[in-house]
Amino acid sequence: MTLTDTGPLVAIIENTDAHHAVISNAVDYLTSRTLVTTEACLTETLHILDRSGGQAAQDALWRLVMDHSLTILRPSEESPIRAHGFCKRFR
């Protein structure tokens, strides 16, 4: 499993992104594992892609989700409670 943030997701889709070549070279390696991201990163990526590549870029991201190349992690009901505990613990 490879946790993937917004930047690499944009770079995978947008060939004009400064990091597209580096990410493209790593895609075969990365996609041999499960790419995962959060709903927040998915939303941010869609917003950035809308501004840079429009509907076609957003559709390319959705294809990754639909063909199970990208899995969206959803928070559990306990997630906010655990996050609060971590914040208190690591002050």
Side-chain angles (χ1 to χ4, degrees), residues 11-15 19-30:
I12 287 169
I13 303 298
E14 279 296 321
N15 62 1
H19 303 288
H20 178 76
V22 172
I23 289 295
S24 293
N25 289 332
V27 164
D28 288 337
Y29 172 77
L30 293 174

Side-chain angles (χ1 to χ4, degrees), residues 69-90:
S69 296
L70 177 65
T71 299
I72 310 304
L73 297 177
R74 291 172 177 81
S76 68
E77 293 203 15
E78 296 83 26
S79 293
I81 296 166
R82 290 181 61 222
H84 181 304
F86 288 135
C87 288
K88 286 175 62 175
R89 181 176 174 193
F90 296 107

Side-chain angles (χ1 to χ4, degrees), residues 2-3 8-9 13 16-17 21 26-27 33 38 43 45 50 53 55 59 62 64 66 76 78 83-84 88 90:
T2 303
L3 183 61
L9 291 174
I13 303 298
T16 59
D17 185 277
V27 164
R33 290 143 179 78
T38 65
T43 301
T45 304
D50 181 52
Q55 188 66 49
D59 289 347
W62 282 118
L64 292 177
M66 296 303 170
S76 68
E78 296 83 26
H84 181 304
K88 286 175 62 175
F90 296 107

